[in-house]
Amino acid sequence: DAPVDVYPTEVKTYLYVSGGQEAPTSITITSQTGATVYDETLSTSVFEPAKIDLHSAAPGLYRVLVEIGGVKTKKIIVKL
């Protein structure tokens, strides 16, 4: 299993997502109401994380779903 790192958990502008190995990474971010605010597939690695601009997202809780190599990881973040 590829470890997934999603940081910071309290986001002001940018959210970073990295995987343990270089691989296509599907990232979906949804709001508490179920609206999709981000949905892309990018190549990420430990040294080259995805940088996601969330500055225009409304403050609140968001669910981040990351899929690398068929392994799904869910994280909760707070947009400040």
Side-chain angles (χ1 to χ4, degrees):
D1 293 354
V4 172
D5 198 12
V6 176
Y7 57 95
T9 55
E10 294 182 347
V11 179
K12 290 183 181 178
T13 306
Y14 293 104
L15 176 72
Y16 298 89
V17 177
S18 64
Q21 59 191 3
E22 187 169 335
T25 304
S26 171
I27 304 167
T28 305
I29 302 174
T30 54
S31 68
Q32 286 180 292
T33 61
T36 300
V37 296
Y38 186 87
D39 187 13
E40 294 287 334
T41 299
L42 309 166
S43 182
T44 66
S45 70
V46 170
F47 302 110
E48 293 187 24
K51 182 178 180 182
I52 301 165
D53 186 350
L54 293 177
H55 84 275
S56 62
L61 291 176
Y62 289 84
R63 183 176 59 162
V64 181
L65 176 63
V66 181
E67 183 176 350
I68 301 174
V71 178
K72 294 181 181 180
T73 303
K74 293 179 188 173
K75 304 279 185 174
I76 299 295
I77 61 167
V78 178
K79 172 63 170 69
L80 301 177

